[in-house]
Amino acid sequence: MSAYHPLTEQEAIQIAHSLDGFFPEGAVLSSREIGDGNLNLVFHITDSASGKSLIMKQALPYAKVVGESWPLTLDRARIESEKLILESELAPGLVPAVYKFDPDLYLTVMEDLSDHIIMRQGLIGGTRYPKFADDISTFMARTLFFTSDLGMNQQNKKLRVKAFINPELCKITEDLIFDDPYTNSPNNSFDPAIRDAAEKLWKDNELHLEVAILRDKFLTNTQALLHGDLHTGSVFVTPESTKVIDPEFAYYGPIGFDIGAVIANLLLNFAGQEHWTPDADKRSDFRRYLTDTVRDVWNLFDQKFRALWNEHGIDRIATSTPGYQDYYMNRLLQDAIGFAGCKIVRRIVGLSHVVDIDRIPDAAARERAQRLALAIGTSLIRNNRKAHSIEEVIDTALSAASK
C-alpha cells in the first residue's frame, strides 16, 4: 500500500492494525471518516473492546472546497507532522502526540482528542474556557520565541526556514486574506444583503494601503516558524485542557500573524453572539468574557515572550540594547492587530467563512453579525500602525457592538 492514493476506511483499519502494540492483538476495529475541513481525509479508528482509538489524517492533492481544479502539494503533510513534533518539544502537552508519519501515503497517525471539543463549537454553545488564554499564550510564546532569531542559532534558523518552505499553502493565504476581499474576485463569497459593504471594501484606498503593508510583512518577514492557521477551529479544548492541531500552513513568517488569528476568531464569535446569545444581558456578559480573553491572550503572551527573551535570548544586540525589547513587542502588537483585522474581513466576504456567523439561521441577525464583524475588522486594519495597547482592540469591538 506504498503508492499514494486516497485511503478507504478499510485500508485505514489495515494500517491501524500494523501499528506495533497500539491496539490489542485481534482487536476488531471500526473506522469513520470525520474530516470536515477543506484539505484532508480524517479517519477515526476505534476499538470498542479496549476503548483505545487514534486519528489518521491524510493529505489530499486538492482542496475539497473547490475540487481537483485546485491542486495542492502533498508535502504539506510532512510539514504538518514535523511541526507537530517540534511543537510537542517546545510546548509539551499542548498538541496531540504523533505516533507515525508515512511519507508515501502522506499520512499522519496521531492522538485521538475525542474527549475534547473544537473550540469554535464550544464558544457557539456558550462554554467558557478558563485555561485557554494561559495555554494558548504559552503555546505561542514558546513555539515562536524558540524558532526565532532571538531564541535559536541564526544559521540553524536559516536551514529551518528552508525545511518549512510552504509556497502553495502560503499562496492560499496571500490570495484569500490579502487580495481577494479587496477586489471583485471570483473567489469571494458573501450574502447579497452585504454586497454594499463588500463593494465599499473594493474602493477603499486607505484600507488597501494598510492591507498592502501587512501583506508585504506576510511575504517577506521570516520572524519565526508560525502555525499559520491558528483559529478556533484548529484548537481542541475542554475547560481544563487545550490542544492545538492542524499546522499544515506552517511556514516562517511574522509572529503577529499567529497572534492575530487567535484574536480575530474570538472577535468573530463576539460578532456571532448577535444570534447565539439572544438575551441582551447574557450576550453582553459573554462578549465581555471574549474581550477579556483577547486581553489575557496578548498580555500573557507579552509577559511570557519577554521572560523567555530575558532568560534565553541568544542575540547580544537584541538582548542588550536598551529599549529594543519594548520596540519589538509593540511592533508585534501592531502586527497582530492588523492581521486580526484582515482575518476577520476575509471570513465575511472571502472564500471559506466561519460557522460562528454562517450558521446563524435568521437572515437579519446574520447580517447584523456580518456588518459588526466588518466594522471591527476594518477598524483594526486602519489603526494597526497607531496602536499601543490591546485595550484599543477591546474598545473597538465594544464600541462597534454598541452602535
Side-chain angles (χ1 to χ4, degrees):
M1 203 186 294
S2 60
Y4 175 83
H5 62 281
L7 294 175
T8 66
E9 292 189 340
Q10 190 55 47
E11 288 172 326
I13 288 174
Q14 292 174 14
I15 293 171
H17 274 300
S18 72
L19 297 173
D20 289 341
F22 189 88
F23 290 109
E25 187 173 351
V28 178
L29 303 183
S30 61
S31 172
R32 186 165 59 97
E33 207 283 308
I34 60 171
D36 61 356
N38 291 323
L39 308 177
N40 308 283
L41 294 174
V42 181
F43 300 97
H44 184 212
I45 312 294
T46 58
D47 171 25
S48 59
S50 68
K52 300 194 73 175
S53 60
L54 55 76
I55 294 292
M56 292 185 182
K57 181 175 179 181
Q58 184 185 35
L60 289 171
Y62 54 84
K64 285 197 293 185
V65 69
V66 176
E68 295 186 19
S69 63
W70 191 338
L72 290 171
T73 177
L74 293 169
D75 188 54
R76 68 184 193 275
R78 174 196 62 81
I79 287 174
E80 176 173 16
S81 178
E82 292 183 6
K83 180 68 160 73
L84 279 171
I85 292 168
L86 179 59
E87 288 170 348
S88 71
E89 296 170 358
L90 297 177
L94 295 176
V95 297
V98 174
Y99 303 137
K100 178 182 180 179
F101 175 67
D102 186 320
D104 297 316
L105 290 171
Y106 297 96
L107 178 73
T108 303
V109 184
M110 68 185 85
E111 179 184 0
D112 178 22
L113 298 174
S114 294
D115 57 337
H116 290 57
I117 187 174
I118 289 290
M119 186 174 184
R120 191 182 303 286
Q121 298 293 343
L123 292 176
I124 287 172
T127 305
R128 304 182 188 213
Y129 297 101
K131 286 202 65 186
F132 172 72
D134 189 31
D135 285 345
I136 201 68
S137 60
T138 295
F139 173 84
M140 292 191 297
R142 293 189 62 82
T143 61
L144 295 170
F145 176 81
F146 285 113
T147 60
S148 76
D149 289 307
L150 299 170
M152 71 177 295
N153 177 276
Q154 290 155 358
Q155 283 62 51
N156 290 340
K157 180 207 161 190
K158 290 175 175 64
L159 294 174
R160 187 173 280 167
V161 170
K162 179 180 177 182
F164 282 92
I165 292 292
N166 200 354
E168 288 183 298
L169 270 67
C170 284
K171 175 65 171 168
I172 292 174
T173 300
E174 292 154 18
D175 289 348
L176 298 191
I177 296 179
F178 300 110
D179 188 355
D180 292 340
Y182 307 98
T183 188
N184 189 12
S185 168
N187 292 330
N188 287 337
S189 173
F190 51 83
D191 284 345
I194 62 164
R195 184 171 186 86
D196 63 305
E199 291 181 351
K200 188 176 179 181
L201 290 172
W202 305 341
K203 301 170 185 175
D204 192 333
N205 289 330
E206 178 187 348
L207 195 70
H208 294 177
L209 172 60
E210 298 301 328
V211 173
I213 292 169
L214 289 160
R215 178 177 177 271
D216 178 68
K217 292 178 180 180
F218 184 86
L219 290 169
T220 64
N221 192 348
T222 57
Q223 273 184 316
L225 181 57
L226 308 186
H227 177 283
D229 198 26
L230 193 53
H231 55 75
T232 50
S234 294
V235 180
F236 269 109
V237 286
T238 72
E240 296 80 34
S241 174
T242 306
K243 301 278 189 177
V244 178
I245 63 169
D246 290 351
E248 61 194 317
F249 278 77
Y251 92 113
Y252 261 86
I255 288 172
F257 189 76
D258 270 2
I259 306 165
V262 175
I263 292 171
N265 281 268
L266 292 168
L267 294 178
L268 283 162
N269 187 268
F270 177 101
Q273 294 302 320
E274 283 296 307
H275 167 76
W276 300 114
T277 309
D279 180 84
D281 290 339
K282 291 180 180 178
R283 179 167 63 247
S284 178
D285 184 61
F286 196 76
R287 281 177 166 169
R288 284 286 181 183
Y289 156 71
L290 292 168
T291 55
D292 286 348
T293 303
V294 168
R295 176 188 294 111
D296 290 345
V297 166
W298 169 257
N299 286 340
L300 289 168
F301 169 82
D302 180 78
Q303 294 167 19
K304 293 171 184 180
F305 196 92
R306 287 176 186 267
L308 291 170
W309 189 337
N310 292 337
E311 183 175 355
H312 301 288
I314 65 167
D315 185 287
R316 184 193 65 79
I317 295 174
T319 301
S320 63
T321 302
Y324 181 72
Q325 187 179 96
D326 289 340
Y327 161 80
Y328 187 99
M329 297 306 295
N330 190 65
R331 188 178 62 179
L332 291 192
L333 173 64
Q334 292 174 341
D335 288 352
I337 291 170
F339 287 129
C342 292
K343 286 274 197 176
I344 291 170
V345 170
R346 166 268 170 109
R347 292 293 192 177
I348 303 302
V349 301
L351 184 69
S352 185
H353 297 175
V354 292
V355 295
D356 313 57
I357 293 176
D358 262 25
R359 287 190 186 170
I360 296 175
D362 178 71
R366 187 170 62 250
E367 181 180 347
R368 290 196 304 272
Q370 291 165 337
R371 291 184 183 275
L372 173 56
L374 287 176
I376 295 170
T378 54
S379 180
L380 296 182
I381 294 170
R382 288 184 204 285
N383 296 306
N384 78 93
R385 289 188 292 147
K386 308 169 194 171
H388 294 284
S389 169
I390 195 64
E391 297 303 321
E392 295 167 58
V393 175
I394 294 165
D395 290 345
T396 295
L398 294 176
S399 175
S402 69
K403 293 178 180 177

